Amino acid sequence: MKNIILCGFMGCGKSTVGRKLSRRGNMEFVDMDRYIEEKVGMTVKEIFAKYGEQKFRDMEREACRELAERNNLVIAAGGGTLTFPENVETLRRTGRIVLIDVKYEILCERLKHDKNRPLLQVENRNEKIRTLLDERMPLYSRAASVVVNGNFGSDDVASNILAILH
Ligand code: S3P
């Protein structure tokens, strides 16, 4: 089996679902943010603070290229990764891109105490989530070949993905 790439907004469950999926499908799990952090020796938060978002996006693009060389992976992409056509092209060639679709209200609830995601450290977090979500949903939909309802627990979401892909 080729790779499975999980796509969707921050807080949609890409990492939690991805870990479960990899266990059940006997695949290796890679969280792209953690992959970048290990490579650079800094957290995503530190990378944004020290070098800015653009530099992070460069690292992310590089990570996509590297991971695309590998097989049998479940990759949890970052929330911004698949908004860039180049990354979509790179990853699409290596497997199926699955969008985990979670509604706005649930995302706001899940993200309300977050301190690590640089894009959400703003005064009106819910408004930021609304704006980003509206911008990104069409891009995610274009990138993905499969969309799953993510408004459930991660076990159910993982089962649905496996059922659809097999
Ligand atoms: C980002 C999402 C984050 C991380 C970075 C930027 C985004 O990943 O890559 O903070 O642009 O949405 P998660 O979706 O795993 O939080």
Side-chain angles (χ1 to χ4, degrees), residues 4 6 17-18 21 98-100 146 148 156-166:
I4 299 174
L6 299 180
V17 171
L21 210 52
V98 178
L99 167 59
I100 304 177
V146 171
V148 291
D156 290 341
V157 179
S159 300
N160 283 341
I161 295 175
L162 280 175
I164 293 169
L165 294 184
H166 280 109

Side-chain angles (χ1 to χ4, degrees), residues 4-19 21 29 74-77 82 97-103 106-107 110 133 137 140-141 144-154 156-158 160-161:
I4 299 174
I5 300 107
L6 299 180
C7 156
F9 203 80
M10 294 173 266
C12 77
K14 298 179 292 287
S15 304
T16 314
V17 171
R19 222 166 264 121
L21 210 52
F29 175 69
V74 175
I75 302 171
L82 294 155
I97 301 178
V98 178
L99 167 59
I100 304 177
D101 187 16
V102 174
K103 64 180 180 184
I106 295 182
L107 293 174
R110 289 190 191 164
L133 192 61
M137 267 316 282
Y140 293 152
S141 302
S145 58
V146 171
V147 184
V148 291
N149 184 339
N151 303 305
F152 301 113
S154 52
D156 290 341
V157 179
N160 283 341
I161 295 175

Side-chain angles (χ1 to χ4, degrees), residues 10 14 33 44 48 56-57 60 77-80 117-119 136:
M10 294 173 266
K14 298 179 292 287
D33 287 337
V44 169
F48 267 72
F56 173 76
R57 298 301 173 196
E60 188 174 53
R117 292 174 171 95
L119 297 179
R136 289 173 166 191

Side-chain angles (χ1 to χ4, degrees), residues 74-99:
V74 175
I75 302 171
T81 312
L82 294 155
T83 64
F84 297 94
E86 191 182 334
N87 295 339
V88 176
E89 284 315 306
T90 304
L91 291 172
R92 188 181 271 155
R93 276 186 265 115
T94 80
R96 308 285 299 273
I97 301 178
V98 178
L99 167 59

Side-chain angles (χ1 to χ4, degrees), residues 33-64:
D33 287 337
R34 301 293 90 73
Y35 178 86
I36 295 169
E37 288 179 339
E38 277 167 28
K39 210 175 133 188
V40 182
M42 293 166 79
T43 65
V44 169
K45 193 178 175 184
E46 287 165 351
I47 297 169
F48 267 72
K50 185 155 186 206
Y51 302 117
E53 179 173 352
Q54 188 51 53
K55 180 80 180 162
F56 173 76
R57 298 301 173 196
D58 293 343
M59 294 171 177
E60 188 174 53
R61 191 171 57 246
E62 188 62 29
C64 289

